[in-house]
């Protein structure tokens, strides 16, 4: 099993992106990768080089070597066992990790366990990972916690992060918030991006005010710079509200929303769509806003499904379509979202339109 990230409720409660119009940067609608006939720069050049080459018209004939060079004692390549990888500045390959990467989890477990018992922190982390996810062996979170703890003591950032989550949860090990905080911070400082995000969450839980957000922003930003969508969305909220000592910057917030949205972060897709439709943080772009809202809705975001229904109803960014408007709202309502405005809209459809909307709703993602 993979231990979950800390909930986003703390920052979400502290910050709410408000609608406003401003900005100068346009975020483009995601497009499929173009099919181009341009040559691949990474492909080897098969053309004949002309630097120092003889005149193409000049005749050339190979001549036999009059004095043969000395030949090696054997033409057979050397055995891999006789080649020392240290000659090339590389460490010997890790058989356990190699097996893990090939999906040979039981083999990886057996190989890693030998080294884990002798105190190898990397092997201990691998054993814990396999046990926590039940890969090739029965899932055993309690045993995984033991090995994560041993590796964490030796400073492995991944183990520190995972064990910190277990300490916060208190299900498989004794709950210890103080130790979890210390380990999470250590992993964050070592560059583990999930630890950076989760440590920021802990900082806001400790201090939900602006001072806490300012401390958290340091770690959110580090994680966002690595491309972590959760952190990109968090920083978008901070810039949108001018919180945590950051100046309000809708253009930067919109770019961060776009970065997270491209990674299928559905809440970022919904917010980005709304900003594009409002013209917040950049130019107003109804068509792109509609496309992002539909993408979030098709991904299962219930709020996006309701908003998409309204876009279809009003013909915003698309042609008006009362049947699809009804279908998407029916989907959202089935998931528990109730919107009085859309309820009135549904009641205004005639029997045939209602029937068609129900049929379409049953076929929607």
């Amino acid at each position: 099993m993979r231990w979950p990230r800390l909930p986003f409720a703390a920052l979400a409660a502290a910050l709410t992106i408000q609608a406003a119009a401003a900005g100068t940067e346009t975020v483009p609608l995601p497009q499929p990768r173009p099919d181009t006939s341009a040559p691949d720069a990474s492909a080897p050049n098969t053309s004949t080089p002309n630097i120092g080459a003889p005149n193409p018209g000049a005749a050339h004939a190979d001549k036999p070597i009059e004095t043969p060079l000395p030949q090696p004692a054997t033409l057979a390549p050397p055995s891999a066992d006789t080649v020392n990888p240290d000659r090339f500045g590389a460490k010997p390959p890790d058989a356990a990790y190699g097996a893990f990467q090939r999906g040979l989890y039981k083999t990886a477990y057996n190989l890693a366990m030998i080294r884990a018992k002798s105190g190898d922190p990397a092997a201990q982390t691998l054993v814990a990972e396999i046990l926590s996810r039940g890969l090739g062996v029965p899932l055993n979170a309690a045993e995984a916690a033991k090995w994560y703890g041993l590796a964490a003591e030796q400073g492995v950032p991944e183990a520190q992060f995972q064990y910190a989550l277990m300490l916060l949860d208190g299900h498989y090990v004794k709950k210890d918030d103080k130790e979890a905080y210390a380990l999470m911070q250590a992993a964050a400082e070592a560059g583990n991006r999930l630890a950076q995000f989760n440590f920021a969450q802990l900082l806001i839980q400790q201090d939900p005010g602006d001072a806490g957000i300012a401390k958290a922003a340091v770690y959110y930003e580090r994680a966002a710079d690595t491309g972590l969508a959760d952190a990109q969305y968090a920083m978008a909220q901070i810039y949108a509200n001018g919180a945590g000592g950051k100046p309000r910057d809708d253009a930067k917030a919109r770019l961060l929303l776009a970065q997270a949205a491209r990674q299928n972060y559905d809440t970022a897709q919904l917010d980005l769509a709304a900003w594009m439709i409002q013209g917040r943080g950049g130019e107003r772009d109804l068509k792109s806003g509609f496309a992002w809202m539909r993408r979030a809705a098709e991904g299962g975001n219930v709020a996006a499904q309701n908003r998409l229904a309204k876009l279809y109803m009003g013909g915003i960014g698309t042609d008006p379509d009362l049947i699809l408007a009804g279908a998407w709202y029916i989907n959202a309502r089935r998931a528990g979202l109730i919107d009085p405005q859309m309820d009135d809209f549904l009641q205004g459809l005639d029997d045939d339109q209602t029937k068609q909307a129900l049929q379409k709703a049953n076929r929607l993602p």
Side-chain angles (χ1 to χ4, degrees):
M1 62 182 288
R2 293 294 295 174
W3 295 95
R5 301 169 191 173
L6 295 176
F8 215 174
L11 182 61
L15 298 173
T16 302
I17 297 182
Q18 302 295 329
T24 59
E25 191 70 23
T26 300
V27 181
L29 174 68
Q31 299 292 333
R33 182 177 298 174
D35 183 14
T36 174
S37 58
D40 184 357
S42 64
N45 184 0
T46 57
S47 61
T48 304
N50 57 13
I51 299 177
N55 188 325
H60 174 74
D62 292 328
K63 295 181 180 181
I65 299 176
E66 296 179 358
T67 305
L69 299 175
Q71 298 297 310
T74 175
L75 296 178
S79 167
D81 295 334
T82 67
V83 177
N84 181 0
D86 290 338
R87 289 173 50 204
F88 311 105
K91 296 181 180 179
D94 189 311
Y97 275 93
F100 182 84
Q101 290 170 344
R102 295 193 303 273
L104 304 174
Y105 302 122
K106 181 64 175 177
T107 300
Y109 175 81
N110 291 335
L111 291 171
M113 181 59 77
I114 297 171
R115 289 168 31 212
K117 289 179 177 178
S118 67
D120 185 319
Q124 291 170 343
T125 305
L126 181 57
V127 167
E129 180 75 4
I130 292 171
L131 287 168
S132 70
R133 296 165 62 184
L135 299 173
V137 298
L139 190 151
N140 191 332
E143 186 70 7
K146 181 189 83 172
W147 291 110
Y148 274 136
L150 290 171
E153 289 176 0
Q154 299 193 65
V156 178
E158 172 66 15
Q160 291 172 330
F161 166 64
Q162 297 290 353
Y163 195 60
L165 289 177
M166 289 180 159
L167 289 170
L168 289 170
D169 180 65
H171 190 67
Y172 298 104
V173 295
K174 185 178 179 181
K175 187 176 177 65
D176 189 335
D177 291 346
K178 184 176 180 180
E179 179 65 14
Y181 182 96
L183 286 173
M184 193 71 78
Q185 183 176 21
E189 295 295 349
N192 184 296
R193 66 180 191 167
L194 289 177
Q196 290 167 346
F197 175 81
N198 283 282
F199 186 59
Q201 301 287 80
L202 289 177
L203 289 170
I204 290 180
Q205 286 180 6
Q206 287 187 347
D207 182 1
D210 200 63
I213 294 174
K215 295 176 184 177
V218 174
Y219 295 93
Y220 280 139
E221 196 158 28
R222 291 180 191 175
D225 287 343
T226 71
L228 186 67
D230 306 68
Q232 290 167 341
Y233 184 74
M235 286 305 301
Q237 289 187 309
I238 288 172
Y239 278 116
N241 290 277
K246 298 288 185 182
R248 175 168 172 167
D249 191 332
D250 283 354
K252 185 173 287 188
R254 180 162 160 170
L255 287 174
L256 285 162
L257 286 176
Q259 290 170 6
R262 292 188 188 104
Q263 298 188 68
N264 287 325
Y265 197 96
D266 61 336
T267 309
Q269 291 170 345
L270 185 154
D271 286 352
L272 178 62
W275 282 39
M276 285 181 159
I277 291 168
Q278 296 162 7
R280 181 176 179 182
E283 294 181 3
R284 196 177 188 203
D285 188 341
L286 300 181
K287 185 176 180 181
S288 295
F290 171 83
W292 279 115
M293 193 69 77
R294 183 174 61 186
R295 185 164 166 180
E298 290 174 346
N301 187 295
V302 177
Q305 291 172 351
N306 183 51
R307 293 198 190 185
L308 183 64
K310 292 182 176 181
L311 296 182
Y312 273 119
M313 182 177 67
I316 300 173
T318 187
D319 294 330
D321 192 321
L322 301 184
I323 304 304
L324 279 173
W328 279 110
Y329 178 62
I330 289 170
N331 255 18
R333 207 178 195 288
R334 285 171 174 171
L337 187 150
I338 298 176
D339 185 325
Q341 178 189 1
M342 295 307 295
D343 277 343
D344 290 343
F345 164 76
L346 273 185
Q347 293 175 7
L349 297 179
D350 60 36
D351 291 344
D352 184 60
Q353 289 173 326
T354 301
K355 181 179 178 180
Q356 291 183 58
L358 284 167
Q359 290 173 342
K360 279 192 178 291
N362 292 334
R363 294 194 297 268
L364 290 175

